[in-house]
Every structure is written in structure tokens, then in C-alpha cells.
Amino acid sequence: MSDTVKEFDAQAVKDELLAGYPTKVARKREKQIVVNKTDEQGYSPEIQANTRTLPGIITQRGCTYAGCKGVVVGPTRDILQITHGPIGCGFYSWLTRRNQTRTKSADEDNFMPYALSTDLQDKDIVFGGEKKLRKAIREAYDIFKPKAIAIFATCPVGLIGDDIHAAARDLSEELGITVFAMSCEGYKGVSQSAGHHIANNAVFSKIVGKNENAPEGEFKVNMLGEYNIGGDSFELERILDELGITLVTTFSGNSTFVSMGQAPFADLDIVMCHRSINYMAEMLETKYGIPWFKVNFIGAQATAKSLRHIAEYFGDKGLAEKTEALIAKESAQVEVALKKVRPRLEGKTVIMYVGGSRAHHYQELFNELGMKVLSAGYEFAHRDDYEGRKVIPDIKVDADSRNIEHLEVSADEKRYSPRKTKAELAAFKEKGVPIDDYDGMMGEMEDGSLVIDDVSHYETEKLIEILKPDLVCAGIKEKYVVQKHGIPLKQLHNYDIGGPYAGFQGAINFYREIDRLVNGSVWKKLKAPWDDSPELMGSYGSD
Ligand code: CFM
């Protein structure tokens, strides 16, 4: 199947995809399907992103509520989270993302196994659901006695106009704990991306800086945009721990209300998923003076590179030596695993359409395996995630983006203290540490590959037909349709039943999983009976 690589003409594939659409749809998709080419200054062709999906198109995207509750706030275990809405919204966002958590002691709160919802009914939609919400908050408080309660709005809440913020304010006073609400109605933005921004704003203004207990440690970092899917954070915590780096908090995998409150004590923010949390990184820098840079812990080599950047930032000889020793030790194990599987995977092809950062990050792992990424794309990323932050000044802010509040943040009078001087930061940049920056996915992809934003269901099937990839990476909505073509699909959202895939041990897990999938014999047996004999015979049970 890998022969297709030679014949791959991205422009021809693009034309074929567009040919199936009515003119108006084709005109829009034309700007969102791009043949990759990076010029000498590092600029890629412009791609249209973060715009509405056209009605009638089957998209992979999720809603704003999903981005707010499911993605950013959901993984924090000691915030009691109540979905104000019909039961389905709470139910389907209940741990399906496989974000894991681990309490440090038996008496610590962990509400993640629960799904709390106001279960709005028709009569609440007609007469209003605010009273029901207040009652639900009191009831939940009486049962669980949490330190904090978060309220999430779903579509009908915005339509009927329940004042969830007034309810949160009143109940906060009444109960003497933090109660905060987020207007993250599903339709609020064009995708879950809007929900990330809403959650960033709420977490930053209601939680960050509210805990005055300074954590101990010489090298203190916050890890942003890591959500502990399949245990990724556990593997990264293990590595940081071995290096003597103190993780003040993660936003938000395996995190707590308590740890997020301490975030201003960190001296560095490392950003994994730029799309979902870049707002937080910027706000922490402006208000407290904590610099940030982009890391990637997906892929053994990317992990090593990111760890070296952290050591470089702290400028400590002991830390640098420890980092090198750890990389050497872990890489030896990675090499052993890679040696086994790489010969079986080299030259195989993959296409992947995932979220807002993994379609980029996972290319590292496929490169290590010698596999070729023919086409990749995000569901809801913005142009900066494709083309790099250098294009941010050129991004047109449309009515849909303007709909989402942008918090005006300024330096904190007491707590602002720049951890590094401008000259120091510039020197780090010189050395290749991506201070305040993210170069995006396209610059790292091969020229001539096909980059597709918000891929549609129709396009996915067409791409399979034309490219015949050895593997597709996407999510649950695509999985079984793809597998019926006899091509394995690896879910890069919740990792199916696997993981962790981050860090060194994660890379080893991933190599083995991809070998198992791509070289599994079951795919060759997926022939429909009518392919061989077009006439099926049947008989009645009574015959
Ligand atoms: Fe960031 Fe994520 Fe992703 Fe994302 Fe997501 Fe996710 Fe994702 Mo699914 S925060 S953008 S909204 S890395 S849930 S853990 S896998 S689409 S690529």
C-alpha cells in the first residue's frame, strides 16, 4: 500500500475532494484544504481556520460546552462540577475522554467519578431553570462539602436566559466557598475552541492566585495544556520528579483546585497544547511575570529536546547533568523498542485529523517509526496552530471570535516579578528555546503534504479511497466507518484503551500499539461476502 506515496499528488487529491461539492461549498473548502509548502522565511500558505462549519457537512467538531467542561475544567478532581442542562450533556461528557486522576491521600476530594446535572425538563425550559440550579447547588454542597463548585451552561440555558452567574454569586456567599459559572453554551462559538477560552478566563480569575501557600522546590514549573489522557501526566510527573523539578500545577490533568491556586509561585510555564491554553500562558506572564515556552512531550526525541530547553532555562549545572543522564538512560530503552518495530513499519503511511494540537505532536512519533504522514489537519485550531504565532497580527477577528470575552489583564501590583530580563529571554530564543512562541504544524510537515482544516466525513472516506493509507488517526465518530474499509484507526483523543503515550515510556507504548494495529492480520480478513459472490442465498427458518 505504501506505493501510493510515490503517486501522491496533493493538488490532484484536493481537486478531487472539491469536485464532489456544490460550487458554494467548494469555494469555502478550497481555502481550508492546502497543499503544504514552507518558504525560506518559514512562512506556509495561508489556511482558513476557526470559521463556521457549513450546514449539511458532517464535521468531527465538538461544542463549546465540551471544550469548557470536558476539556479544560473537567480534569480537576476537587472541583464539584454541575452541568446545568438536559441530562445528555452531562452524561456524554462523563469520563469518555479518559482523563485520569490520582489523589495523594485517602481523605482528598475526588469528584471525577460523578456526573452531576440539573436534568432540565420541558417545563424548566418554559418557566426557567434558575431555581432548580440553586437547589441543585445546595443539595450537592450538602452531600459532598466541596471547596469549589463549577457550573456549566448548555445550549438551552442561554436561550431561556437563566442567570447562572447571579446564582453562583449568591451561593458563593451563602455557602462560603468558591462557586463560579461559565456561559459555555454549546453554540457560543464555532467549536470547542471557544469553550477553552471561556474556561481559561474563569480558572484564571476565580482560582489562580487564590492559594497563598508557596510550594517548596528549586525549579518550579506549571505544565499547561496537558490533560492526563490515558495517564500521560503520570509519565511526565515521573520524569519531572526524577529531575528534581517541582510541578506546581498542571492545567489541568491530575490537578486540583488547591494546586491551580498556587500557579503564580512557578518560575516557568511549559505549554503542551497551545490551542487550548495559550490564553492562560499569556495572562500568567502579564500578571505575574512568568515566561512560557512551547514543549512537546509526544515522541522520545521531542521529549528530550523539551527537557533540555527546561534545563537551559533554569541554567543550573546539576539540573543539566541530571537531564542528560535521564535522557541517556530512557533513550536506551526507547531504542530497544524501536529496533524491533521500525523495520515492520518503515514506509507505511498515515493520515490524521485530530483536535487542535495532536495532529502536529503525533507526527513526531510517526517520524520516529519511519512512517509517512501524507495528510494531517486539525478540527478546530486557529491559523497560528497551523502557520505559527507570527501570523497572529494578520488573523481577522470575526463576529464569532468577538463573541468570546478577552480578559484585560495587567501586572499585579504586589505579585508581578519578571523571572527573567528581556535580554535573558532573547538569549534563550537565540539558543532555540521557543520563548513566547509556537511555530505551528505546517512548517514541520513535508512540502507537498495535504493540510486539511475541519475535515468532513465525506472527505475522510474519499481520502481513504484515493490514498489508501495504512493507518488513520482520528476519533470515535470516524473509527468504525474507517475500519469497515479494512484500515485500522487509532483514536488520538482518548487513545482507545491505551496510553500513556507521552514521555519516554509513552513512546514505547505507542510504537508497540501502532505495530499491533498496522500489522494485525484481521484487516485482511474484512472482505464482505458479496465481494466474492455477488448473489446471496437465503432460506426461511420454516424450510
Ligand atoms: Fe489540546 Fe487536548 Fe488537543 Fe484539545 Fe480535544 Fe483532547 Fe484533542 Mo480530543 S485540549 S486541542 S479539545 S490536546 S479532547 S486532550 S484529544 S480534540 S488534539
Side-chain angles (χ1 to χ4, degrees):
M1 278 187 196
S2 330
D3 302 344
T4 48
V5 182
K6 284 181 238 128
E7 301 152 21
F8 181 54
D9 173 353
Q11 186 58 48
V13 176
K14 175 176 172 173
D15 293 343
E16 206 172 331
L17 294 181
L18 295 178
Y21 285 129
T23 326
K24 215 174 140 195
V25 180
R27 214 179 293 137
K28 182 167 165 78
R29 290 303 291 154
E30 204 263 324
K31 301 190 192 93
Q32 299 169 313
I33 304 175
V34 168
V35 179
N36 194 38
K37 186 164 175 50
T38 308
D39 70 14
E40 274 155 25
Q41 280 83 43
Y43 281 89
S44 316
E46 180 175 335
I47 185 163
Q48 192 184 77
N50 191 32
T51 57
R52 291 183 192 187
T53 304
L54 287 169
I57 288 212
I58 304 181
T59 169
Q60 296 180 338
R61 283 175 167 176
C63 69
T64 300
Y65 161 81
C68 185
K69 196 263 185 184
V71 175
V72 177
V73 188
T76 306
R77 64 175 168 266
D78 59 353
I79 300 177
L80 194 69
Q81 312 195 11
I82 304 177
T83 297
H84 187 35
I87 197 65
C89 306
F91 182 79
Y92 287 105
S93 60
W94 184 24
L95 290 184
T96 43
R97 186 164 168 250
R98 297 187 70 244
N99 45 288
Q100 302 183 1
T101 203
R102 195 183 277 157
T103 51
K104 291 200 177 95
S105 64
D107 57 352
E108 207 195 307
D109 287 337
N110 176 13
F111 304 125
M112 273 176 41
Y114 298 97
L116 280 76
S117 165
T118 49
D119 184 23
L120 286 183
Q121 301 293 319
D122 296 1
K123 75 169 188 338
D124 305 315
I125 306 294
V126 175
F127 297 108
E130 210 181 301
K131 273 194 198 135
K132 200 174 186 186
L133 173 65
R134 288 170 186 255
K135 202 168 152 237
I137 299 172
R138 282 193 197 97
E139 190 184 332
Y141 178 78
D142 287 343
I143 299 169
F144 295 100
K145 298 282 181 319
K147 297 177 197 73
I149 296 179
I151 314 295
F152 303 90
T154 57
C155 294
V157 171
L159 298 173
I160 63 179
D162 280 355
D163 192 347
I164 56 170
H165 300 281
R169 228 173 12 246
D170 293 349
L171 269 295
S172 213
E173 230 163 75
E174 183 183 317
L175 305 172
I177 60 164
T178 302
V179 182
F180 63 105
M182 283 150 282
S183 292
C184 53
E185 286 84 355
Y187 58 77
K188 200 72 186 256
V190 301
S191 69
Q192 52 266 67
S193 169
H196 302 148
H197 198 164
I198 293 166
N200 276 232
N201 291 350
V203 170
F204 187 77
S205 52
K206 305 288 181 186
I207 305 176
V208 168
K210 299 283 152 60
N211 186 337
E212 301 286 344
N213 299 320
E216 298 282 315
E218 203 177 338
F219 313 112
K220 293 196 281 284
V221 304
N222 296 321
M223 183 157 58
L224 277 62
E226 164 40 59
Y227 299 97
N228 205 16
I229 311 302
D232 277 354
S233 302
F234 296 149
E235 162 69 355
L236 300 176
E237 285 172 18
R238 176 187 74 84
I239 291 170
L240 296 177
D241 213 42
E242 275 194 38
L243 295 174
I245 294 170
T246 305
L247 181 61
V248 179
T249 192
T250 301
F251 290 92
S252 58
N254 197 29
S255 71
T256 62
F257 176 71
V258 178
S259 69
M260 293 200 302
Q262 296 172 304
F265 290 108
D267 294 317
L268 169 66
D269 286 335
I270 47 176
V271 175
M272 260 299 276
C273 169
H274 172 265
R275 181 64 268 135
S276 63
I277 209 94
N278 70 90
Y279 322 96
M280 181 69 74
E282 285 190 344
M283 291 190 285
L284 284 168
E285 179 154 36
T286 311
K287 188 164 178 183
Y288 302 106
I290 310 169
W292 67 272
F293 58 78
K294 177 80 181 64
V295 289
N296 179 15
F297 292 122
I298 302 296
Q301 287 168 31
T303 302
K305 188 172 160 193
S306 296
L307 293 176
R308 287 188 176 114
H309 284 167
I310 297 170
E312 180 79 48
Y313 174 87
F314 284 110
D316 180 271
K317 201 162 162 265
L319 178 62
E321 283 169 9
K322 260 192 188 169
T323 305
E324 288 310 322
L326 179 121
I327 293 172
K329 183 185 80 181
E330 304 271 341
S331 302
Q333 295 172 28
V334 169
E335 274 311 308
V336 173
L338 200 53
K339 237 193 194 141
K340 262 196 199 156
V341 297
R342 193 176 152 123
R344 290 201 288 266
L345 290 168
E346 220 158 8
K348 303 270 187 194
T349 59
V350 56
I351 59 176
M352 53 179 161
Y353 308 104
V354 196
S357 74
R358 293 191 171 170
H360 179 195
H361 289 162
Y362 275 79
Q363 295 196 28
E364 290 278 347
L365 279 168
F366 287 116
N367 289 340
E368 288 174 4
L369 288 167
M371 289 174 68
K372 197 171 164 67
V373 180
L374 302 178
S375 174
Y378 298 124
E379 291 165 57
F380 51 77
H382 301 195
R383 272 184 66 200
D384 36 322
D385 304 293
Y386 285 104
E387 302 169 56
R389 284 180 68 92
K390 55 189 174 298
V391 304
I392 288 178
D394 306 331
I395 295 178
K396 276 186 233 94
V397 182
D398 62 8
D400 288 315
S401 314
R402 219 171 282 127
N403 204 16
I404 310 302
E405 190 189 6
H406 177 84
L407 286 189
E408 285 307 329
V409 176
S410 53
D412 190 282
E413 274 180 28
K414 288 196 195 110
R415 301 186 73 173
Y416 178 78
S417 108
R419 309 308 203 266
K420 301 277 176 192
T421 63
K422 281 206 171 119
E424 281 171 321
L425 292 177
F428 287 133
K429 247 193 142 152
E430 273 300 296
K431 286 183 187 158
V433 183
I435 298 285
D436 288 352
D437 206 7
Y438 174 43
D439 274 343
M441 173 170 86
M442 288 166 85
E444 286 191 5
M445 283 181 73
E446 274 184 26
D447 285 354
S449 53
L450 195 58
V451 182
I452 305 181
D453 183 62
D454 188 15
V455 77
S456 73
H457 195 106
Y458 162 74
E459 288 158 9
T460 309
E461 292 219 60
K462 212 60 196 153
L463 286 159
I464 286 173
E465 222 176 83
I466 306 168
L467 298 174
K468 298 187 178 56
D470 296 300
L471 179 72
V472 177
C473 293
I476 190 65
K477 297 196 286 289
E478 298 76 49
K479 186 174 177 92
Y480 299 103
V481 177
V482 171
Q483 295 197 159
K484 281 174 189 167
H485 285 272
I487 293 172
L489 183 140
K490 178 65 192 169
Q491 288 193 67
L492 285 191
H493 297 266
N494 73 354
Y495 300 165
D496 298 293
I497 54 165
Y501 297 137
F504 298 105
Q505 296 306 315
I508 296 172
N509 288 340
F510 194 77
Y511 301 155
R512 290 182 181 147
E513 171 72 347
I514 296 307
D515 180 37
R516 187 183 72 85
L517 278 173
V518 172
N519 294 312
S521 56
V522 67
W523 309 110
K524 293 166 195 86
K525 299 188 171 130
L526 279 185
K527 221 170 177 204
W530 52 85
D531 281 346
D532 287 333
S533 112
E535 270 175 70
L536 284 181
M537 298 295 286
S539 61
Y540 291 104
S542 57
D543 288 352

